[in-house]
Amino acid sequence: MNKLFAMMPVVKQTTLFSATLNDKVSEMKERLSIDPVIVEIKKEEVEIDNIEQLAYHVSPEKKVLFYGI
């Protein structure tokens, strides 16, 4: 990345999209931007009351029969 950054013109317009803003992305943002603007979109919280979760323990012998292994 450093070689690519070195080849970029000093005056440029950069748009950087990232689902996460970890240390490496922040470092890239600082290196590529003069006055960066960060737009964050918060996830809408949805309450779902009608979900039923079940778990079944299956013995290794039955897994073999089911998967045909």
Side-chain angles (χ1 to χ4, degrees), residues 42-55:
K42 295 195 179 201
K43 184 177 176 182
E44 181 181 340
E45 293 186 26
V46 178
E47 289 186 32
I48 302 174
D49 297 327
N50 60 350
I51 293 180
E52 183 179 334
Q53 295 184 19
L54 300 171

Side-chain angles (χ1 to χ4, degrees), residues 3 8 27 39 42-44 53 62 67 69:
K3 287 182 181 181
M8 295 174 128
E27 180 183 323
V39 177
K42 295 195 179 201
K43 184 177 176 182
E44 181 181 340
Q53 295 184 19
K62 290 192 178 182
Y67 290 115
I69 303 172

Side-chain angles (χ1 to χ4, degrees), residues 7-22:
M7 294 189 309
M8 295 174 128
V10 175
V11 178
K12 64 191 171 305
Q13 181 175 353
T14 305
T15 305
L16 175 66
F17 295 94
S18 178
T20 58
L21 197 56
N22 61 27

Side-chain angles (χ1 to χ4, degrees), residues 17-31:
F17 295 94
S18 178
T20 58
L21 197 56
N22 61 27
D23 292 343
K24 290 203 182 267
V25 174
S26 287
E27 180 183 323
M28 201 179 316
K29 171 192 60 123
E30 292 300 324
R31 187 158 184 185

